[in-house]
mmCIF file of all heavy atoms in Angstrom:
data_model
loop_
_atom_site.group_PDB
_atom_site.id
_atom_site.type_symbol
_atom_site.label_atom_id
_atom_site.label_comp_id
_atom_site.label_asym_id
_atom_site.label_seq_id
_atom_site.Cartn_x
_atom_site.Cartn_y
_atom_site.Cartn_z
ATOM 1 N N ALA A 20 1.683 -11.707 22.832
ATOM 2 C CA ALA A 20 0.913 -10.694 22.139
ATOM 3 C C ALA A 20 -0.580 -10.865 22.431
ATOM 4 O O ALA A 20 -1.281 -9.866 22.618
ATOM 5 C CB ALA A 20 1.210 -10.737 20.633
ATOM 6 N N LYS A 21 -1.037 -12.103 22.475
ATOM 7 C CA LYS A 21 -2.446 -12.339 22.832
ATOM 8 C C LYS A 21 -2.735 -11.828 24.239
ATOM 9 O O LYS A 21 -3.798 -11.259 24.510
ATOM 10 C CB LYS A 21 -2.804 -13.785 22.706
ATOM 11 C CG LYS A 21 -2.884 -14.294 21.309
ATOM 12 C CD LYS A 21 -3.128 -15.786 21.231
ATOM 13 C CE LYS A 21 -2.952 -16.309 19.794
ATOM 14 N NZ LYS A 21 -2.831 -17.745 19.748
ATOM 15 N N LYS A 22 -1.817 -12.065 25.130
ATOM 16 C CA LYS A 22 -1.998 -11.673 26.545
ATOM 17 C C LYS A 22 -2.033 -10.186 26.731
ATOM 18 O O LYS A 22 -2.881 -9.626 27.412
ATOM 19 C CB LYS A 22 -0.894 -12.290 27.404
ATOM 20 C CG LYS A 22 -0.964 -11.944 28.866
ATOM 21 C CD LYS A 22 0.099 -12.615 29.677
ATOM 22 C CE LYS A 22 0.012 -12.222 31.132
ATOM 23 N NZ LYS A 22 1.078 -12.884 31.906
ATOM 24 N N TYR A 23 -1.089 -9.449 26.072
ATOM 25 C CA TYR A 23 -0.949 -7.997 26.312
ATOM 26 C C TYR A 23 -1.688 -7.176 25.276
ATOM 27 O O TYR A 23 -1.800 -5.946 25.448
ATOM 28 C CB TYR A 23 0.538 -7.613 26.349
ATOM 29 C CG TYR A 23 1.173 -8.106 27.620
ATOM 30 C CD1 TYR A 23 1.858 -9.317 27.665
ATOM 31 C CD2 TYR A 23 1.097 -7.339 28.785
ATOM 32 C CE1 TYR A 23 2.420 -9.763 28.820
ATOM 33 C CE2 TYR A 23 1.638 -7.834 29.973
ATOM 34 C CZ TYR A 23 2.315 -9.017 29.955
ATOM 35 O OH TYR A 23 2.884 -9.498 31.128
ATOM 36 N N GLU A 24 -2.185 -7.789 24.190
ATOM 37 C CA GLU A 24 -2.957 -7.129 23.159
ATOM 38 C C GLU A 24 -2.351 -5.812 22.649
ATOM 39 O O GLU A 24 -2.981 -4.774 22.686
ATOM 40 C CB GLU A 24 -4.375 -6.861 23.656
ATOM 41 C CG GLU A 24 -5.098 -8.108 24.089
ATOM 42 C CD GLU A 24 -6.520 -7.839 24.632
ATOM 43 O OE1 GLU A 24 -6.820 -6.699 25.002
ATOM 44 O OE2 GLU A 24 -7.281 -8.807 24.669
ATOM 45 N N PRO A 25 -1.103 -5.899 22.168
ATOM 46 C CA PRO A 25 -0.484 -4.656 21.639
ATOM 47 C C PRO A 25 -1.086 -4.258 20.276
ATOM 48 O O PRO A 25 -1.627 -5.099 19.579
ATOM 49 C CB PRO A 25 0.994 -5.065 21.467
ATOM 50 C CG PRO A 25 0.908 -6.538 21.156
ATOM 51 C CD PRO A 25 -0.231 -7.041 22.018
ATOM 52 N N VAL A 26 -1.004 -2.974 20.010
ATOM 53 C CA VAL A 26 -1.444 -2.530 18.654
ATOM 54 C C VAL A 26 -0.311 -2.797 17.630
ATOM 55 O O VAL A 26 -0.575 -2.795 16.435
ATOM 56 C CB VAL A 26 -1.800 -1.034 18.655
ATOM 57 C CG1 VAL A 26 -2.993 -0.763 19.498
ATOM 58 C CG2 VAL A 26 -0.624 -0.132 19.048
ATOM 59 N N ARG A 27 0.896 -2.989 18.164
ATOM 60 C CA ARG A 27 2.014 -3.203 17.277
ATOM 61 C C ARG A 27 3.136 -4.035 17.950
ATOM 62 O O ARG A 27 3.373 -3.882 19.126
ATOM 63 C CB ARG A 27 2.584 -1.835 16.893
ATOM 64 C CG ARG A 27 3.729 -1.803 15.935
ATOM 65 C CD ARG A 27 4.029 -0.372 15.517
ATOM 66 N NE ARG A 27 2.882 0.210 14.868
ATOM 67 C CZ ARG A 27 2.457 1.447 15.077
ATOM 68 N NH1 ARG A 27 3.107 2.231 15.889
ATOM 69 N NH2 ARG A 27 1.373 1.873 14.459
ATOM 70 N N LEU A 28 3.743 -4.890 17.137
ATOM 71 C CA LEU A 28 4.983 -5.578 17.604
ATOM 72 C C LEU A 28 6.162 -4.773 17.036
ATOM 73 O O LEU A 28 6.155 -4.404 15.874
ATOM 74 C CB LEU A 28 5.037 -6.969 17.059
ATOM 75 C CG LEU A 28 4.073 -7.991 17.639
ATOM 76 C CD1 LEU A 28 4.360 -9.388 17.012
ATOM 77 C CD2 LEU A 28 4.167 -8.109 19.122
ATOM 78 N N LEU A 29 7.116 -4.506 17.861
ATOM 79 C CA LEU A 29 8.291 -3.761 17.472
ATOM 80 C C LEU A 29 9.490 -4.684 17.521
ATOM 81 O O LEU A 29 9.806 -5.246 18.601
ATOM 82 C CB LEU A 29 8.469 -2.571 18.401
ATOM 83 C CG LEU A 29 9.661 -1.639 18.094
ATOM 84 C CD1 LEU A 29 9.413 -0.911 16.781
ATOM 85 C CD2 LEU A 29 9.837 -0.684 19.243
ATOM 86 N N PHE A 30 10.157 -4.834 16.421
ATOM 87 C CA PHE A 30 11.371 -5.665 16.349
ATOM 88 C C PHE A 30 12.600 -4.752 16.304
ATOM 89 O O PHE A 30 12.693 -3.879 15.452
ATOM 90 C CB PHE A 30 11.358 -6.506 15.079
ATOM 91 C CG PHE A 30 10.247 -7.542 15.041
ATOM 92 C CD1 PHE A 30 9.028 -7.202 14.532
ATOM 93 C CD2 PHE A 30 10.447 -8.813 15.545
ATOM 94 C CE1 PHE A 30 7.951 -8.154 14.484
ATOM 95 C CE2 PHE A 30 9.414 -9.758 15.554
ATOM 96 C CZ PHE A 30 8.180 -9.401 14.992
ATOM 97 N N GLY A 31 13.499 -4.966 17.262
ATOM 98 C CA GLY A 31 14.755 -4.190 17.225
ATOM 99 C C GLY A 31 15.561 -4.677 16.007
ATOM 100 O O GLY A 31 15.748 -5.857 15.812
ATOM 101 N N MET A 32 15.979 -3.692 15.158
ATOM 102 C CA MET A 32 16.685 -4.018 13.924
ATOM 103 C C MET A 32 18.169 -3.637 14.114
ATOM 104 O O MET A 32 18.513 -2.471 14.209
ATOM 105 C CB MET A 32 16.068 -3.240 12.798
ATOM 106 C CG MET A 32 16.776 -3.492 11.439
ATOM 107 S SD MET A 32 16.846 -5.240 10.978
ATOM 108 C CE MET A 32 15.146 -5.571 10.602
ATOM 109 N N PRO A 33 19.025 -4.658 14.119
ATOM 110 C CA PRO A 33 20.451 -4.385 14.244
ATOM 111 C C PRO A 33 20.995 -3.744 12.999
ATOM 112 O O PRO A 33 20.664 -4.161 11.875
ATOM 113 C CB PRO A 33 21.081 -5.765 14.477
ATOM 114 C CG PRO A 33 20.078 -6.761 14.117
ATOM 115 C CD PRO A 33 18.712 -6.076 14.058
ATOM 116 N N ARG A 34 21.737 -2.682 13.180
ATOM 117 C CA ARG A 34 22.391 -2.012 12.076
ATOM 118 C C ARG A 34 23.844 -1.795 12.410
ATOM 119 O O ARG A 34 24.209 -1.698 13.567
ATOM 120 C CB ARG A 34 21.699 -0.670 11.823
ATOM 121 C CG ARG A 34 20.273 -0.815 11.415
ATOM 122 C CD ARG A 34 19.623 0.467 11.182
ATOM 123 N NE ARG A 34 19.843 0.854 9.808
ATOM 124 C CZ ARG A 34 19.108 1.802 9.176
ATOM 125 N NH1 ARG A 34 18.165 2.444 9.806
ATOM 126 N NH2 ARG A 34 19.398 2.114 7.942
ATOM 127 N N ASN A 35 24.646 -1.692 11.341
ATOM 128 C CA ASN A 35 26.051 -1.384 11.518
ATOM 129 C C ASN A 35 26.158 0.119 11.868
ATOM 130 O O ASN A 35 25.224 0.870 11.689
ATOM 131 C CB ASN A 35 26.826 -1.698 10.222
ATOM 132 C CG ASN A 35 26.753 -3.141 9.894
ATOM 133 O OD1 ASN A 35 26.816 -4.035 10.776
ATOM 134 N ND2 ASN A 35 26.617 -3.452 8.624
ATOM 135 N N MET A 36 27.334 0.470 12.371
ATOM 136 C CA MET A 36 27.490 1.900 12.811
ATOM 137 C C MET A 36 27.293 2.894 11.645
ATOM 138 O O MET A 36 26.934 4.018 11.861
ATOM 139 C CB MET A 36 28.858 2.114 13.451
ATOM 140 C CG MET A 36 28.950 1.409 14.832
ATOM 141 S SD MET A 36 27.547 1.686 15.941
ATOM 142 C CE MET A 36 27.722 3.418 16.280
ATOM 143 N N ASP A 37 27.544 2.447 10.407
ATOM 144 C CA ASP A 37 27.331 3.318 9.235
ATOM 145 C C ASP A 37 25.881 3.330 8.791
ATOM 146 O O ASP A 37 25.560 3.973 7.781
ATOM 147 C CB ASP A 37 28.301 2.938 8.092
ATOM 148 C CG ASP A 37 27.973 1.556 7.552
ATOM 149 O OD1 ASP A 37 27.031 0.894 7.969
ATOM 150 O OD2 ASP A 37 28.736 1.165 6.604
ATOM 151 N N GLY A 38 25.021 2.609 9.482
ATOM 152 C CA GLY A 38 23.605 2.613 9.143
ATOM 153 C C GLY A 38 23.188 1.462 8.251
ATOM 154 O O GLY A 38 21.991 1.262 8.012
ATOM 155 N N SER A 39 24.139 0.746 7.706
ATOM 156 C CA SER A 39 23.782 -0.383 6.805
ATOM 157 C C SER A 39 23.302 -1.562 7.604
ATOM 158 O O SER A 39 23.438 -1.625 8.838
ATOM 159 C CB SER A 39 25.027 -0.772 5.980
ATOM 160 O OG SER A 39 26.046 -1.246 6.843
ATOM 161 N N TYR A 40 22.663 -2.494 6.904
ATOM 162 C CA TYR A 40 22.129 -3.696 7.543
ATOM 163 C C TYR A 40 23.129 -4.821 7.349
ATOM 164 O O TYR A 40 23.661 -4.996 6.265
ATOM 165 C CB TYR A 40 20.794 -4.098 6.921
ATOM 166 C CG TYR A 40 19.724 -3.069 7.172
ATOM 167 C CD1 TYR A 40 19.395 -2.136 6.186
ATOM 168 C CD2 TYR A 40 19.043 -3.024 8.375
ATOM 169 C CE1 TYR A 40 18.389 -1.219 6.435
ATOM 170 C CE2 TYR A 40 18.109 -2.070 8.611
ATOM 171 C CZ TYR A 40 17.775 -1.169 7.632
ATOM 172 O OH TYR A 40 16.798 -0.236 7.876
ATOM 173 N N GLY A 41 23.334 -5.580 8.408
ATOM 174 C CA GLY A 41 24.261 -6.710 8.351
ATOM 175 C C GLY A 41 23.549 -8.052 8.375
ATOM 176 O O GLY A 41 22.346 -8.154 8.245
ATOM 177 N N PHE A 42 24.327 -9.045 8.618
ATOM 178 C CA PHE A 42 23.887 -10.456 8.632
ATOM 179 C C PHE A 42 22.833 -10.663 9.760
ATOM 180 O O PHE A 42 21.829 -11.354 9.504
ATOM 181 C CB PHE A 42 25.085 -11.399 8.870
ATOM 182 C CG PHE A 42 24.682 -12.854 8.901
ATOM 183 C CD1 PHE A 42 24.228 -13.483 7.751
ATOM 184 C CD2 PHE A 42 24.815 -13.581 10.048
ATOM 185 C CE1 PHE A 42 23.885 -14.830 7.781
ATOM 186 C CE2 PHE A 42 24.477 -14.915 10.092
ATOM 187 C CZ PHE A 42 23.987 -15.553 8.964
ATOM 188 N N GLN A 43 23.026 -10.060 10.909
ATOM 189 C CA GLN A 43 22.055 -10.254 12.009
ATOM 190 C C GLN A 43 20.734 -9.659 11.710
ATOM 191 O O GLN A 43 19.691 -10.185 12.112
ATOM 192 C CB GLN A 43 22.644 -9.636 13.314
ATOM 193 C CG GLN A 43 21.945 -10.080 14.566
ATOM 194 C CD GLN A 43 22.103 -11.577 14.839
ATOM 195 O OE1 GLN A 43 23.075 -12.207 14.468
ATOM 196 N NE2 GLN A 43 21.107 -12.146 15.517
ATOM 197 N N SER A 44 20.667 -8.597 10.903
ATOM 198 C CA SER A 44 19.365 -7.985 10.546
ATOM 199 C C SER A 44 18.554 -8.941 9.703
ATOM 200 O O SER A 44 17.325 -8.960 9.816
ATOM 201 C CB SER A 44 19.564 -6.654 9.866
ATOM 202 O OG SER A 44 20.229 -6.818 8.638
ATOM 203 N N GLU A 45 19.197 -9.752 8.887
ATOM 204 C CA GLU A 45 18.475 -10.769 8.104
ATOM 205 C C GLU A 45 17.807 -11.797 9.026
ATOM 206 O O GLU A 45 16.703 -12.226 8.759
ATOM 207 C CB GLU A 45 19.381 -11.451 7.090
ATOM 208 C CG GLU A 45 19.838 -10.543 5.966
ATOM 209 C CD GLU A 45 18.669 -9.961 5.190
ATOM 210 O OE1 GLU A 45 17.717 -10.709 4.874
ATOM 211 O OE2 GLU A 45 18.680 -8.752 4.879
ATOM 212 N N LYS A 46 18.533 -12.168 10.088
ATOM 213 C CA LYS A 46 17.993 -13.141 11.070
ATOM 214 C C LYS A 46 16.742 -12.580 11.744
ATOM 215 O O LYS A 46 15.785 -13.282 11.993
ATOM 216 C CB LYS A 46 19.033 -13.521 12.097
ATOM 217 C CG LYS A 46 20.165 -14.347 11.546
ATOM 218 C CD LYS A 46 21.142 -14.654 12.688
ATOM 219 C CE LYS A 46 22.307 -15.483 12.218
ATOM 220 N NZ LYS A 46 23.242 -15.811 13.344
ATOM 221 N N VAL A 47 16.819 -11.273 12.051
ATOM 222 C CA VAL A 47 15.674 -10.615 12.729
ATOM 223 C C VAL A 47 14.477 -10.582 11.774
ATOM 224 O O VAL A 47 13.336 -10.871 12.159
ATOM 225 C CB VAL A 47 16.010 -9.206 13.197
ATOM 226 C CG1 VAL A 47 14.783 -8.431 13.687
ATOM 227 C CG2 VAL A 47 17.074 -9.286 14.329
ATOM 228 N N LYS A 48 14.695 -10.253 10.506
ATOM 229 C CA LYS A 48 13.619 -10.239 9.520
ATOM 230 C C LYS A 48 12.992 -11.610 9.368
ATOM 231 O O LYS A 48 11.763 -11.747 9.291
ATOM 232 C CB LYS A 48 14.142 -9.754 8.160
ATOM 233 C CG LYS A 48 14.441 -8.294 8.096
ATOM 234 C CD LYS A 48 14.954 -7.917 6.712
ATOM 235 C CE LYS A 48 15.511 -6.526 6.674
ATOM 236 N NZ LYS A 48 16.129 -6.240 5.377
ATOM 237 N N GLU A 49 13.811 -12.678 9.349
ATOM 238 C CA GLU A 49 13.311 -14.040 9.249
ATOM 239 C C GLU A 49 12.476 -14.403 10.451
ATOM 240 O O GLU A 49 11.395 -14.997 10.339
ATOM 241 C CB GLU A 49 14.471 -15.015 9.062
ATOM 242 C CG GLU A 49 15.119 -14.938 7.711
ATOM 243 C CD GLU A 49 16.374 -15.808 7.640
ATOM 244 O OE1 GLU A 49 16.643 -16.620 8.530
ATOM 245 O OE2 GLU A 49 17.162 -15.610 6.668
ATOM 246 N N PHE A 50 12.937 -13.996 11.639
ATOM 247 C CA PHE A 50 12.157 -14.298 12.834
ATOM 248 C C PHE A 50 10.855 -13.502 12.853
ATOM 249 O O PHE A 50 9.794 -14.040 13.200
ATOM 250 C CB PHE A 50 12.975 -14.001 14.124
ATOM 251 C CG PHE A 50 12.217 -14.380 15.356
ATOM 252 C CD1 PHE A 50 12.021 -15.686 15.709
ATOM 253 C CD2 PHE A 50 11.675 -13.415 16.177
ATOM 254 C CE1 PHE A 50 11.317 -16.058 16.845
ATOM 255 C CE2 PHE A 50 10.953 -13.736 17.302
ATOM 256 C CZ PHE A 50 10.785 -15.086 17.638
ATOM 257 N N ALA A 51 10.888 -12.257 12.434
ATOM 258 C CA ALA A 51 9.698 -11.443 12.332
ATOM 259 C C ALA A 51 8.688 -12.111 11.387
ATOM 260 O O ALA A 51 7.493 -12.162 11.729
ATOM 261 C CB ALA A 51 10.053 -10.058 11.832
ATOM 262 N N GLN A 52 9.148 -12.645 10.267
ATOM 263 C CA GLN A 52 8.226 -13.322 9.357
ATOM 264 C C GLN A 52 7.569 -14.539 10.023
ATOM 265 O O GLN A 52 6.381 -14.795 9.848
ATOM 266 C CB GLN A 52 8.979 -13.768 8.101
ATOM 267 C CG GLN A 52 9.318 -12.584 7.199
ATOM 268 C CD GLN A 52 10.210 -13.040 5.996
ATOM 269 O OE1 GLN A 52 10.720 -14.121 5.966
ATOM 270 N NE2 GLN A 52 10.348 -12.097 5.048
ATOM 271 N N ALA A 53 8.312 -15.276 10.814
ATOM 272 C CA ALA A 53 7.785 -16.431 11.553
ATOM 273 C C ALA A 53 6.714 -15.996 12.540
ATOM 274 O O ALA A 53 5.664 -16.627 12.668
ATOM 275 C CB ALA A 53 8.885 -17.195 12.248
ATOM 276 N N VAL A 54 6.976 -14.893 13.245
ATOM 277 C CA VAL A 54 6.012 -14.398 14.235
ATOM 278 C C VAL A 54 4.756 -13.926 13.515
ATOM 279 O O VAL A 54 3.612 -14.179 13.957
ATOM 280 C CB VAL A 54 6.598 -13.269 15.103
ATOM 281 C CG1 VAL A 54 5.547 -12.628 15.966
ATOM 282 C CG2 VAL A 54 7.746 -13.785 15.963
ATOM 283 N N LEU A 55 4.942 -13.233 12.404
ATOM 284 C CA LEU A 55 3.771 -12.689 11.710
ATOM 285 C C LEU A 55 2.903 -13.736 11.042
ATOM 286 O O LEU A 55 1.768 -13.479 10.653
ATOM 287 C CB LEU A 55 4.243 -11.617 10.686
ATOM 288 C CG LEU A 55 4.905 -10.405 11.365
ATOM 289 C CD1 LEU A 55 5.507 -9.473 10.316
ATOM 290 C CD2 LEU A 55 3.920 -9.691 12.242
ATOM 291 N N LYS A 56 3.434 -14.963 10.921
ATOM 292 C CA LYS A 56 2.613 -16.067 10.431
ATOM 293 C C LYS A 56 1.582 -16.526 11.462
ATOM 294 O O LYS A 56 0.566 -17.050 11.179
ATOM 295 C CB LYS A 56 3.494 -17.295 10.049
ATOM 296 C CG LYS A 56 4.254 -17.105 8.746
ATOM 297 C CD LYS A 56 5.082 -18.383 8.497
ATOM 298 C CE LYS A 56 5.897 -18.133 7.239
ATOM 299 N NZ LYS A 56 6.823 -19.306 7.004
#
């Protein structure tokens, strides 16, 4: 991010086919929190 200087980081959010969030989406949110620190 420092190298490319984006205005935004975009995290792909896994969703189930019915649109609900599953276990993997929690892992992505946790990783996003680590990056945003």
Side-chain angles (χ1 to χ4, degrees):
K21 286 176 192 166
K22 179 178 178 180
Y23 289 94
E24 301 178 343
V26 296
R27 182 171 300 137
L28 290 183
L29 181 68
F30 295 89
M32 180 56 69
R34 296 179 87 162
N35 298 322
M36 292 311 294
D37 65 2
S39 64
Y40 296 100
F42 181 68
Q43 196 64 29
S44 63
E45 290 303 316
K46 291 181 180 181
V47 171
K48 287 179 191 175
E49 288 172 13
F50 183 72
Q52 288 174 348
V54 172
L55 296 173
K56 285 180 184 176

